[in-house]
Amino acid sequence: MKVNITAGLFLCASCIAHADGRIYSYLDVEASSEPVPIGDMIDGWDSTFKSGDYAYANASAVIGVDVNSWILERETRWYYYLTFSPDTAAWYRDLDQGNERTSQDQIELSAKVLEAQGLRFGHRFEGERWQMTPKLAVYKVGHFQFGQLNGVSFDGTGRNVSVELNSYFDEDKVLNYKADVPEGTGVSLSIAGDWQITEQWAVDYEFNDLFNRWMFEDAAFDKGCVNLGSVDETVCTSSSSASGRSGQERLVETIPVTSKARLIYQPLGLALAGTMHGRYERLSLAKFWSLDKIDLGASIYSTNQFGLHVHNRYFQLEVVSDDRRIHYARDAEVTLGVSLPW
């Protein structure tokens, strides 16, 4: 028995009711940035600053077909996940703005960024009160960056630093190392499903990138030590202000699993949901109303977001944000989907 209400949590491919066959397409964009609004994370940290330790974005554009429980999808994906210490966020903010700092800061930064295109194959298994859909995706990876920056910043404008860099990429935006890097490959296993516990209660779940590997046979890299300005102690040894090496070698990486689950009380159209991706966590409570053949919903989130949801058999629109002015949003998600059953 397929649960037919949604809490604004799952993508169109799993939340619009299916028939014997259908073709569908959806765009899902989810982004969160603790220190500054999402737009400023890309364009420059010139808005209100808050302490934080991550920035996350995942966007997927998918077109797929579902026939007799067999699923084939074509996906374009953009993934961005930065983790850092609160000291690093404060240091970078002052460095970007030219502000003086009077403290010693621990610099810790990890980056996982990729753009990929791929095919996903899946099959839906069903019982009397449950269903489960595993999907396996195979990707080609174009742009990517995986790396770490670790060290110490001292008093001043942020330019008195001792840091160690270890970065892999297809384009060098730090030291301008010129490299001819071939496309990488990726595989990812995801599982989604639901269980009708009783006539009143149901559970949905989704685990994206439950198993994943991103492989690059000839990734470019920069590995080095940087000691600039007035440095009281160094974290690495450099013969000059900066030293290290660049080259190309094989790289295998992973990204964190995205876990989603919700508990639904159907008589009142209520759903309690949770999402986790590394340091990104949120809880939500949603209420849905059925009007003729359209479901309308509203939701609130632990990340100070408010969501509006509209969907029926053919169409889905969900908008979730912590600020109606999108330029100032720190947490936002937009899902737009269509489904044509036959």
Side-chain angles (χ1 to χ4, degrees):
M1 179 182 297
K2 173 64 176 175
V3 177
N4 61 9
I5 65 172
T6 60
L9 182 59
F10 301 135
L11 301 184
C12 176
S14 62
C15 71
I16 293 180
H18 59 82
D20 291 337
R22 66 189 176 106
I23 185 171
Y24 55 88
S25 180
Y26 66 81
L27 172 67
D28 183 81
V29 181
E30 185 173 7
S32 178
S33 172
E34 278 195 317
V36 293
I38 297 166
D40 286 357
M41 181 59 66
I42 301 171
D43 298 331
W45 291 24
D46 55 2
S47 291
T48 303
F49 174 81
K50 296 180 181 179
S51 180
D53 63 4
Y54 74 86
Y56 164 64
N58 189 45
S60 291
V62 172
I63 183 169
V65 61
D66 181 341
V67 179
N68 295 327
S69 299
W70 290 96
I71 297 165
L72 173 63
E73 297 176 339
R74 176 75 166 86
E75 179 188 21
T76 300
R77 181 178 185 182
W78 301 266
Y79 176 83
Y80 179 95
Y81 184 52
L82 299 184
T83 57
F84 38 81
S85 65
D87 274 3
T88 304
W91 165 74
Y92 181 81
R93 158 71 177 188
D94 287 339
L95 178 65
D96 185 63
Q97 297 297 309
N99 300 329
E100 290 282 336
R101 292 194 62 77
T102 59
S103 61
Q104 178 174 312
D105 302 304
Q106 292 297 317
I107 300 174
E108 300 172 2
L109 171 65
S110 174
K112 295 176 180 286
V113 179
L114 59 87
E115 297 179 13
Q117 294 184 338
L119 292 175
R120 184 184 292 117
F121 307 89
H123 182 70
R124 184 170 51 256
F125 300 91
E126 299 186 25
E128 182 179 354
R129 306 180 67 87
W130 63 271
Q131 73 170 9
M132 180 179 68
T133 306
K135 296 180 183 180
L136 179 66
V138 180
Y139 294 99
K140 284 187 176 181
V141 184
H143 295 306
F144 68 92
Q145 183 171 15
F146 294 89
Q148 297 82 38
L149 184 68
N150 295 282
V152 182
S153 172
F154 300 91
D155 295 0
T157 60
R159 299 184 183 279
N160 299 323
V161 295
S162 177
V163 293
E164 188 169 10
L165 171 69
N166 185 13
S167 180
Y168 289 85
F169 47 82
D170 67 302
E171 294 182 0
D172 187 358
K173 298 180 180 180
V174 179
L175 301 178
N176 294 318
Y177 168 64
K178 303 300 181 181
D180 182 13
V181 178
E183 289 183 323
T185 58
V187 293
S188 175
L189 174 66
S190 299
I191 297 176
D194 55 60
W195 174 33
Q196 188 77 40
I197 305 171
T198 68
E199 293 302 318
Q200 296 180 327
W201 293 93
V203 172
D204 277 351
Y205 60 87
E206 184 173 350
F207 301 102
N208 292 321
D209 302 308
L210 183 61
F211 169 86
N212 67 92
R213 291 290 185 275
W214 306 90
M215 295 156 286
F216 308 89
E217 292 302 324
D218 204 21
F221 67 82
D222 286 331
K223 299 180 181 181
C225 174
V226 179
N227 296 308
L228 294 177
S230 177
V231 177
D232 295 337
E233 58 181 296
T234 61
V235 297
C236 55
T237 301
S238 174
S239 58
S240 59
S241 60
S243 64
R245 63 188 181 94
S246 298
Q248 294 180 233
E249 63 185 20
R250 189 171 189 270
L251 172 69
V252 178
E253 273 285 354
T254 64
I255 62 176
V257 178
T258 301
S259 304
K260 301 182 179 184
R262 62 178 178 162
L263 178 65
I264 304 165
Y265 184 62
Q266 291 177 304
L268 296 180
L270 293 175
L272 178 66
T275 299
M276 294 181 61
H277 179 89
R279 295 181 183 178
Y280 173 57
E281 300 176 351
R282 74 176 185 183
L283 294 173
S284 69
L285 179 64
K287 165 66 178 175
F288 280 81
W289 299 267
S290 292
L291 303 176
D292 194 13
K293 296 182 179 181
I294 298 178
D295 289 331
L296 302 177
S299 53
I300 55 175
Y301 296 78
S302 59
T303 44
N304 299 318
Q305 295 167 282
F306 177 75
L308 295 174
H309 317 272
V310 181
H311 70 89
N312 61 15
R313 188 183 184 190
Y314 306 101
F315 174 78
Q316 175 190 14
L317 174 63
E318 304 183 2
V319 179
V320 179
S321 180
D322 64 338
D323 198 305
R324 60 181 178 82
R325 303 163 299 175
I326 192 63
H327 182 72
Y328 293 96
R330 279 179 161 82
D331 291 275
E333 181 175 8
V334 176
T335 302
L336 175 64
V338 293
S339 180
L340 301 175
W342 64 76

